[in-house]
Amino acid sequence: MTAIAIVGTGRMGTAFAKRLIESGHEVSVWNRTASGTAAAEEAGATVAHDIADAAASDVILLSLTDAAAVEAVTESLIVAGIAGKLVIDLSTLLPDQTRAVASKITGAGAEFVDCPVGGTVGPALKGQLLGMAGGSEAAFARAKPVLDDLCKRVEHFGPAGSGAAMKLAVNLPLAIYWKTLAEALTMLEGSGISPEAAISLIADSSAGPTVLKNRAQVVIDTLNGTDQPGTFDIAGLAKDLDLALRQAALSGRTMPLSELAAQSYGDALSAGLGGFDGASLTRHLSSG
């Protein structure tokens, strides 16, 4: 049993808590909005009174929205005292942002691993995520037993920031896919082929990524006119797409397909589709 604190109990943070409790760990949770800890507490987690209470755990997992949140929590943890602790950041940030956080954490005497994950709530609850880790060999070795309880596969890619870079590379094709699927469906206009038949065949072909195979019914229902709540929604996809474009700019690279996709995500967000599945971007574009 390991004493683990989870800072950030959104959908994924709560799923991490439930999975780790089921795996036999002692879990405490802390969230900036106290009401957000209710589901984790119901699953058996202890609610930390404050960030200092969370910092008392041996291992501290961060599951936060953006760099500003991670940086703010990092400062609070350092003030609380984290010497000898292990901090694992599961958030999705830019590599440079992750390296800056890593420097502060290790400077305070703790070990640090960045390990953003591939997968949503369902795989998290089953321990079937993909872990993309960065950090020292020693920190990764210490983190791996915990990460193995969350992930079906964990890869260590190098120093801090390496996991962040890999996560952006993984999410980018998915973000673009929903736009390309919309263009593919334009080939079927007037053909009489139903969304059910089209998606079933595409999902079973080389044009069908894992997300389409796993969520075919969600896509079909969306294309039939009923937008579905997203486990990795349009707002999240747009955020990660923006991070990828910012990273490309820092590297002096251009990504024309990604830039066009970002415009489509902006349109979808303006249409109020931010909380829906990525398939809603496909429906939005193909119905225009």
Side-chain angles (χ1 to χ4, degrees), residues 23 68 75 189 207 222 226 230 233-234:
S23 299
E75 295 295 339
E189 290 178 1
T222 299
T226 305
D233 57 28
I234 285 175

Side-chain angles (χ1 to χ4, degrees), residues 1 25 35 58 61 134 149 173 192 206 210 244 272 280 284:
M1 177 185 291
H25 297 287
S35 60
D58 300 323
L61 305 187
D149 283 333
S206 57
T210 301
S280 290
H284 177 70

Side-chain angles (χ1 to χ4, degrees), residues 144-162:
K144 194 171 186 298
V146 173
L147 295 173
D148 281 342
D149 283 333
L150 295 173
C151 303
K152 64 181 179 181
R153 176 179 177 182
V154 182
E155 292 288 340
H156 182 212
F157 288 102
S162 301

Side-chain angles (χ1 to χ4, degrees), residues 40-271:
E41 183 178 17
E42 184 177 344
T46 301
V47 178
H49 298 297
D50 51 31
I51 195 73
D53 194 12
S57 294
D58 300 323
V59 178
I60 304 160
L61 305 187
L62 309 184
S63 180
L64 299 162
T65 305
D66 54 29
V70 173
E71 289 162 3
V73 164
T74 295
E75 295 295 339
S76 296
L77 288 172
I78 291 171
V79 170
I82 52 172
K85 309 294 184 179
L86 169 65
V87 178
I88 304 174
D89 186 12
L90 301 165
S91 315
T92 300
L93 309 181
L94 290 173
D96 280 350
Q97 293 170 334
T98 295
R99 284 188 281 268
V101 169
S103 178
K104 291 179 180 179
I105 294 290
T106 56
E111 291 185 294
F112 177 86
V113 169
D114 64 298
C115 191
V117 294
T120 55
V121 170
L125 292 171
K126 299 174 183 176
Q128 292 292 301
L129 297 167
L130 290 174
M132 295 157 266
S136 70
E137 293 283 353
F140 176 68
R142 186 176 172 186
K144 194 171 186 298
V146 173
L147 295 173
D148 281 342
D149 283 333
L150 295 173
C151 303
K152 64 181 179 181
R153 176 179 177 182
V154 182
E155 292 288 340
H156 182 212
F157 288 102
S162 301
M166 190 70 237
K167 176 63 184 296
L168 295 180
V170 165
N171 278 4
L172 184 61
L174 173 60
I176 295 174
Y177 181 75
W178 296 115
K179 180 175 173 63
T180 61
L181 181 60
E183 295 189 8
L185 293 176
T186 64
M187 302 294 98
L188 303 180
E189 290 178 1
S191 68
I193 298 173
S194 69
E196 289 85 352
I199 296 303
S200 175
L201 194 286
I202 293 173
D204 207 27
S205 76
S206 57
T210 301
V211 69
L212 195 60
K213 293 175 171 65
N214 290 344
R215 296 178 62 76
Q217 192 56 52
V218 169
V219 178
I220 290 166
D221 291 343
T222 299
L223 295 178
N224 280 330
T226 305
D227 291 309
Q228 305 291 306
T231 51
F232 186 25
D233 57 28
I234 285 175
L237 286 159
K239 178 186 78 72
D240 287 3
L241 178 55
D242 176 66
L243 288 176
L245 286 167
R246 288 166 59 188
Q247 181 62 22
L250 289 171
S251 304
R253 301 280 186 169
T254 59
M255 299 196 300
L257 290 177
S258 300
E259 290 168 3
L260 287 173
Q263 295 174 19
S264 296
Y265 276 91
D267 291 343
L269 291 172
S270 296

